[in-house]
Amino acid sequence: MTPKEEAFASLAEGMIKKLEMRGMEGHYFENREALCSYLKETLPEDAVIAAGGSESVKESGIMNLITSGDYTFIDRKAAKTPEESREIFSRTVLADYYFMSTNAITMDGELVNIDGNGNRIACLAQGPSHVYIIVGRNKVSVDLQDAIQRARNIAAPANVKRLHKQTPCQVQGRCGNCFSPDCICSHLIVTRHCGEKGRIHVFLVNEDLGY
């Protein structure tokens, strides 16, 4: 491993202990291939799986794993109308496994997420039996304040570019604290503890993933 990789491996060891104190399970993987191999071995073949919009999940190879396996995948992109979207979301909250990333995670194990319509953070808070969070080393922040700034000024502007939204951060590359109709920052949630021990699993990957 490179010195950078060695440093993150050491950091992840401590973060996993912090996550355990918060009722969450932490897992460390050297790369995305190791993560996908683990999931392929442990996910039940008949599992009902859903996912939030996440570049980390896509870049990790997990979406390919899910869609090519013997799983029931609830595809939120299949919705053509608001009514269909609502119906798909109602099925999503009952999924066995929900895959997502986090906009930031503190070294102390707190998750920070920012969302437009709230479907992703709703499933994080309650619903699916298991929530699997894919976290590249680039998502780690020193503390809560740093994590919130990362979510607003790094993750959000990049996602606005990806989604072709018309917001101040699309132009400025940083949060404009806007109330635009296209705002993707309607909700900001800090997950500091999981009341249902072991429901939330955080997969720390020693690579940069997503925004």
Side-chain angles (χ1 to χ4, degrees), residues 170-188:
Q170 198 274 347
V171 177
Q172 301 170 1
R174 63 185 298 275
C175 180
N177 199 32
C178 76
F179 301 105
S180 164
D182 273 354
C183 177
I184 67 167
C185 301
S186 301
H187 308 275
L188 178 65

Side-chain angles (χ1 to χ4, degrees), residues 99-147:
F99 282 87
M100 60 177 287
S101 186
T102 185
N103 296 132
I105 180 172
T106 70
M107 292 180 179
D108 203 36
E110 298 155 301
L111 308 175
V112 172
N113 282 282
I114 204 162
D115 208 345
N117 59 27
N119 62 301
R120 182 170 58 94
I121 59 176
C123 288
L124 169 60
Q126 190 176 32
S129 301
H130 305 87
V131 178
Y132 280 7
I133 302 177
I134 313 305
V135 184
R137 64 190 176 206
N138 53 310
K139 300 291 187 77
V140 178
S141 300
V142 176
D143 54 26
L144 190 55
Q145 181 177 359
D146 185 38

Side-chain angles (χ1 to χ4, degrees), residues 4-5 8-9 28-36 56 59-61 134-140 203-210:
K4 181 178 180 178
E5 291 168 341
F8 181 75
Y28 168 78
F29 297 92
E30 288 189 4
N31 50 49
R32 67 194 76 187
E33 290 80 14
L35 169 62
C36 286
S56 296
E59 290 176 12
S60 68
I134 313 305
V135 184
R137 64 190 176 206
N138 53 310
K139 300 291 187 77
V140 178
F203 297 91
L204 300 168
V205 183
N206 203 343
E207 293 185 62
D208 289 350
L209 293 172

Side-chain angles (χ1 to χ4, degrees), residues 21-171:
M21 291 171 59
R22 296 180 180 277
M24 295 179 267
E25 291 191 16
H27 310 260
Y28 168 78
F29 297 92
E30 288 189 4
N31 50 49
R32 67 194 76 187
E33 290 80 14
L35 169 62
C36 286
S37 178
Y38 170 82
L39 292 172
K40 188 173 183 179
E41 292 178 4
T42 57
L43 281 174
E45 290 185 355
D46 59 347
V48 177
I49 300 175
S54 169
E55 289 301 294
S56 296
V57 173
K58 186 190 303 181
E59 290 176 12
S60 68
I62 291 172
M63 289 305 300
N64 290 335
L65 172 66
I66 293 171
T67 55
S68 63
D70 295 325
Y71 312 111
T72 299
F73 177 56
I74 303 172
D75 187 1
R76 69 194 192 102
K77 293 182 179 179
K80 299 295 189 293
T81 66
E83 291 75 20
E84 288 180 357
S85 180
R86 183 174 175 82
E87 189 274 332
I88 288 175
F89 179 69
S90 69
R91 292 167 54 207
T92 297
V93 298
L94 295 176
D96 298 319
Y97 296 87
Y98 185 78
F99 282 87
M100 60 177 287
S101 186
T102 185
N103 296 132
I105 180 172
T106 70
M107 292 180 179
D108 203 36
E110 298 155 301
L111 308 175
V112 172
N113 282 282
I114 204 162
D115 208 345
N117 59 27
N119 62 301
R120 182 170 58 94
I121 59 176
C123 288
L124 169 60
Q126 190 176 32
S129 301
H130 305 87
V131 178
Y132 280 7
I133 302 177
I134 313 305
V135 184
R137 64 190 176 206
N138 53 310
K139 300 291 187 77
V140 178
S141 300
V142 176
D143 54 26
L144 190 55
Q145 181 177 359
D146 185 38
I148 292 172
Q149 290 302 316
R150 186 190 192 284
R152 298 184 67 177
N153 291 295
I154 296 178
N159 277 306
V160 161
K161 292 281 189 182
R162 174 175 63 91
L163 298 169
H164 307 291
K165 299 289 188 178
Q166 300 303 311
T167 64
C169 69
Q170 198 274 347
V171 177

